[in-house]
Amino acid sequence: NIPSITIANMLSTRTITRTVTSVSDKTETYVVSVVPPSGISMEITPNAFTIPMGANRICPISLDTFT
């Protein structure tokens, strides 16, 4: 699963959320990794988390522009 984010004409800091849903039959731990596009910084909180089977986790993602 490779999720994507699209923000047209990003001129300032934006925070969005992603909901991660476990479809596993056991508790799993995930470590987040990102490759932001040139000129964008990203912060995802938390950068590692555990989800019990069938549960959801909301992850805020902050994006900022820099020059």
Side-chain angles (χ1 to χ4, degrees), residues 35-59:
V35 179
S38 178
I40 303 292
S41 64
M42 296 177 71
E43 180 179 350
I44 302 173
T45 308
N47 61 358
F49 53 90
T50 299
I51 301 179
M53 64 179 196
N56 294 328
R57 174 73 187 232
I58 296 173
C59 298

Side-chain angles (χ1 to χ4, degrees), residues 26-39:
K26 60 185 177 185
T27 297
E28 295 190 319
T29 299
Y30 295 90
V31 176
V32 178
S33 67
V34 298
V35 179
S38 178

